């Protein structure tokens, strides 16, 4: 049986100073964010994952969003160079945590990429050209991953922070997508479920093996998932959404 591992990190006490790109700063209830994060970790455990929960980084406001710091594949991992300079010190502890599991590669300057911009579907790696990720990083990823048989393609994305704000995989060959933020033609051969147009941030779902984690705050899109035969486990991430975080951002999930 496949052993799945999730690396997570406690919500920083300085989360109120997080990076913001699209949202206005509003108060974040730290206790509620931590409660919701506990529920998120419990959901991962309930699916059989081993959760490696790292301690808070008090000085690094966005450190709970571990997804942005590494790209995990079966054969190796790439430590990103996050687009926001304030987030680069998050890499050190993630590098130490991943070292026992994977050969690690590093994105070098001037390359920048956030893990939230990287959608892996089988041997296809799609990288959003958002404000955080650039062509130098994409070229480096192409060189690093070609020997393992991966194709790496740039995907234009607009209106949202990351590619995975706009599109994620919810079942084999099926993507949940907000077509206003990313063009489905960038993903040939895939099937699509579109978010309800009143729920613009609803495209981020976390697929772990055959299980999907999704947020209850998007009932109309949830109904579309159910109509497609998908029955997600529901976890509320509404507090961290105020920091522009969603479900995939808060873990690095990989086969151990
Ligand atoms: C940032 O702007 O970097 C954080 N406030 C939010 C990062 C969310 N990460 C993600 O979607 N992968």
């Amino acid at each position: 049986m496949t052993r799945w591992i999730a690396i997570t990190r406690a919500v920083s006490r300085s989360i109120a100073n997080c990076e913001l790109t699209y949202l206005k700063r509003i108060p974040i209830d730290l206790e509620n964010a931590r409660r919701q994060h506990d529920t998120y970790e419990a959901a991962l455990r309930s699916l059989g994952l081993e959760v490696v929960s790292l301690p808070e980084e008090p000085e690094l406001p966005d450190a709970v969003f571990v997804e942005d710091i590494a790209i995990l594949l079966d054969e190796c991992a790439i430590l990103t160079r996050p687009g926001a300079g304030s987030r680069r010190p998050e890499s050190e502890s993630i590098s130490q945590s991943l070292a026992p599991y994977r050969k690690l590669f590093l994105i070098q300057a001037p390359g920048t990429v956030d893990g939230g911009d990287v959608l892996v579907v089988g041997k296809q790696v799609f990288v959003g050209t958002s404000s955080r990720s650039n062509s130098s990083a994409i070229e480096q990823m192409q060189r690093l991953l070609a020997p393992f048989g991966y194709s790496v393609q740039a995907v234009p994305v607009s209106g949202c922070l990351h590619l995975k704000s706009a599109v994620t995989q919810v079942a084999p060959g099926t993507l949940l997508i907000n077509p206003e933020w990313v063009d489905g033609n960038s993903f040939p051969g895939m099937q699509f479920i579109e978010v309800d147009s009143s729920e613009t941030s609803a495209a981020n779902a976390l697929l772990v093996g055959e299980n999907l984690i999704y947020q209850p705050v998007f009932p109309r899109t949830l109904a579309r998932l159910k109509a497609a035969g998908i029955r997600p486990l529901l976890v509320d991430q509404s507090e961290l959404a105020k920091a522009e975080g969603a479900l995939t951002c808060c873990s690095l999930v990989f086969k151990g």
Side-chain angles (χ1 to χ4, degrees):
M1 215 176 81
T2 310
R3 171 181 171 236
W4 288 91
I5 297 173
I7 293 179
T8 60
R9 175 148 45 206
V11 181
S12 172
R13 69 194 65 184
S14 60
I15 183 76
N17 301 324
C18 65
E19 295 284 339
L20 286 177
T21 307
Y22 285 93
L23 297 184
K24 277 216 287 245
R25 199 168 296 280
I26 56 171
I28 296 174
D29 180 335
L30 178 61
E31 290 318 309
N32 193 33
R34 287 183 167 165
R35 255 194 314 274
Q36 290 184 350
H37 193 60
D38 288 347
T39 307
Y40 176 84
E41 290 178 333
L44 291 169
R45 286 194 189 93
S46 79
L47 295 177
L49 280 82
E50 178 185 329
V51 176
V52 178
S53 180
L54 302 179
E56 166 198 20
E57 290 269 14
E59 311 289 325
L60 300 177
D62 283 305
V64 63
F65 302 121
V66 290
E67 167 182 57
D68 292 319
I69 309 305
I71 298 153
L72 266 297
L73 299 162
D74 287 349
E75 302 85 350
C76 65
I78 298 176
L79 283 171
T80 65
R81 188 166 172 272
S86 69
R87 301 202 54 193
R88 293 190 191 139
E90 295 175 30
S91 298
E92 195 180 318
S93 53
I94 295 294
S95 163
Q96 286 167 12
S97 307
L98 288 175
Y101 301 103
R102 290 291 188 279
K103 179 176 172 53
L104 298 178
F105 297 108
L106 295 178
I107 296 295
Q108 310 285 350
T112 63
V113 58
D114 284 7
D117 271 321
V118 181
L119 174 66
V120 181
V121 183
K123 288 285 183 182
Q124 291 177 283
V125 180
F126 301 98
V127 188
T129 50
S130 71
S131 60
R132 298 287 175 88
S133 302
N134 65 20
S135 56
S136 165
I138 294 172
E139 283 158 22
Q140 292 178 52
M141 290 173 66
Q142 285 166 338
R143 275 200 305 277
L144 291 170
L145 296 182
F148 301 109
Y150 290 92
S151 70
V152 179
Q153 287 149 255
V155 177
V157 57
S158 62
C160 58
L161 182 58
H162 287 131
L163 178 65
K164 277 188 280 190
S165 321
V167 60
T168 55
Q169 190 178 12
V170 291
T174 302
L175 304 182
L176 179 62
I177 190 168
N178 178 341
E180 293 189 1
W181 289 346
V182 70
D183 185 347
N185 290 320
S186 297
F187 311 95
M190 306 280 177
Q191 293 188 305
F192 297 98
I193 300 171
E194 291 191 3
V195 301
D196 187 276
S197 58
S198 66
E199 297 174 342
T200 50
S201 301
N204 186 272
L206 175 58
L207 186 65
V208 183
E210 293 174 357
N211 298 294
L212 192 71
I213 300 182
Y214 195 63
Q215 295 211 56
V217 294
F218 304 117
R220 294 180 174 174
T221 305
L222 177 59
R224 293 183 180 198
L225 290 170
K226 287 185 175 167
I230 298 169
R231 294 271 175 281
L233 184 58
L234 297 179
V235 175
D236 186 359
Q237 285 277 83
S238 51
E239 204 59 47
L240 286 179
K242 299 171 187 169
E244 297 187 5
L247 286 167
T248 58
C249 329
C250 293
S251 56
L252 283 164
V253 173
F254 55 97
K255 290 179 199 149

